[in-house]
Amino acid sequence: MRFHAPIRPELRNWILETTRAGHNVADLLRLMHETGYSPQESRRILAHVLKMPVSAIDARARPQQHGKSVRIRLPDGPHIVADKHPLRVMLSLEAPPLRVFDELLTTDECEALIELAKPRLQRARTVNVDGGQQIDPNRTSNGMFFALGEEPLIRRIEARIAALLGIPVDHGEGLQVLHYLPGQQYEPHQDWFDPHQPGYAAITATGGQRIGSLVMYLNTPAAGGGTAFPEIGLTVTAQRGAAVCFTYEGGDAASLHAGLPVIKGEKWIATKWLRERPYREKAGRD
């Protein structure tokens, strides 16, 4: 049995007084984390002092969400039409839910996205614990974000994705374009946010949890650069105009994936992350 140190009277009184002053559980957890308590210990202490189960602490710590929650509808093929655009389903898996699409984007659309993105490229970042952006040594590409509906081309692609997956445009994060040179990669990772990690409430305060990812290939690298799913032994080859979409509602470990190193040439991709609720973008992401 794990030993827990007794709760100091000063800490108990602070929790009760802070609660009476109108602060909620999320505030208390944040303040305790800032003073050095681990998330697990903070939850245990609050549960004991406030006389409620840890599950109730977790529920109260979640941010209030507004807007309707949705689920992604992955289509079956082989031939489908999304917003008047014909395409094909080349591969279909159910564990994890995954589809590989051919001809999701036209050659002209791929080239136009690359040209629009080039002047705004910066070192690609990942989401940190407060919902902002950070440099990650596991991600060595350059990238940029488009705002929702920023260009006619972006609006057309967003409408196509919404029709393809049965999810409203406003549930998507801004389209991100990434550029990889030889040797650059993105090591194995999950796109969904771990609810047990510090900062989960901040990351999901708008839009809620991520529920799916769509990776669109804007060119065909000379060698390498595919998307690997090590838990299921699958690698999707990067082919211009094709895309892979996978969902992970509830945090599916099988959705672990990696952007494999480019061996020769370069790789351009566009990524769309989808949220369970309407997403409001933060300013200054690129």
Side-chain angles (χ1 to χ4, degrees):
M1 179 179 295
R2 182 182 175 186
F3 172 76
H4 293 294
I7 300 171
R8 294 180 292 107
E10 297 88 348
L11 177 58
R12 182 188 299 272
N13 291 337
W14 174 83
I15 291 171
L16 294 174
E17 290 173 1
T18 305
T19 303
R20 294 189 194 105
H23 292 276
N24 58 29
V25 166
D27 293 334
L28 292 166
L29 288 172
R30 176 178 54 79
L31 293 168
M32 293 178 72
H33 174 67
E34 290 174 354
T35 55
Y37 289 92
S38 71
Q40 295 79 8
E41 192 70 1
S42 299
R43 291 160 58 242
R44 181 192 70 80
I45 291 172
L46 288 183
H48 183 81
V49 173
L50 300 178
K51 299 186 180 351
M52 60 177 63
V54 172
S55 59
I57 294 293
D58 291 339
R60 295 192 180 196
R62 296 189 189 105
Q64 294 297 314
Q65 299 286 350
H66 302 282
K68 184 179 179 181
S69 179
V70 300
R71 299 187 66 182
I72 294 171
R73 182 191 70 241
L74 288 178
D76 291 313
H79 299 282
I80 55 178
V81 177
D83 195 37
K84 300 181 181 180
H85 178 83
L87 63 150
R88 296 182 295 167
V89 177
M90 304 300 293
L91 175 67
S92 178
L93 295 180
E94 298 308 321
L98 180 150
R99 302 289 187 273
V100 176
F101 302 109
D102 189 28
E103 301 174 346
L104 177 59
L105 300 178
T106 69
T107 297
D108 287 346
E109 288 170 338
C110 291
E111 293 176 352
L113 273 177
I114 291 172
E115 293 305 313
L116 285 171
K118 279 182 178 178
R120 293 161 58 178
L121 292 176
Q122 300 179 19
R123 172 68 185 272
R125 299 169 182 261
T126 58
V127 179
N128 62 24
V129 297
D130 65 0
Q133 303 287 311
Q134 65 181 3
I135 297 291
D136 187 332
N138 295 322
R139 190 179 205 183
T140 55
S141 59
N142 290 319
M144 55 78 64
F145 281 93
F146 289 103
L148 289 176
E150 179 177 334
E151 297 272 351
L153 173 61
I154 302 302
R155 291 195 293 273
R156 183 166 74 246
I157 294 172
E158 288 169 344
R160 187 177 306 160
I161 294 169
L164 177 67
L165 303 178
I167 187 167
V169 169
D170 65 2
H171 285 246
E173 298 181 29
L175 191 70
Q176 184 184 42
V177 173
L178 293 169
H179 181 219
Y180 294 80
L181 294 173
Q184 294 185 326
Q185 62 179 316
Y186 194 0
E187 295 185 1
H189 62 283
Q190 300 286 7
D191 284 348
W192 48 268
F193 306 121
D194 186 346
H196 301 296
Q197 290 297 313
Y200 174 78
I203 295 171
T204 58
T206 177
Q209 178 65 279
R210 282 180 177 168
I211 57 175
S213 302
L214 178 69
V215 179
M216 296 164 278
Y217 304 104
L218 305 183
N219 79 316
T220 303
T227 304
F229 294 83
E231 295 295 315
I232 58 173
L234 172 69
T235 295
V236 178
T237 303
Q239 296 284 340
R240 183 172 62 185
V244 56
C245 182
F246 51 100
T247 67
Y248 34 77
E249 293 181 48
D252 188 345
S255 67
L256 184 75
H257 60 288
L260 297 178
V262 175
I263 298 173
K264 186 177 180 181
E266 60 181 347
K267 179 176 78 169
W268 289 87
I269 63 171
T271 301
K272 170 69 77 170
W273 290 292
L274 302 164
R275 299 281 189 125
E276 61 184 340
R277 299 180 186 275
Y279 178 76
R280 183 178 68 255
E281 292 182 303
K282 286 189 175 183
R285 297 217 310 182
D286 61 354

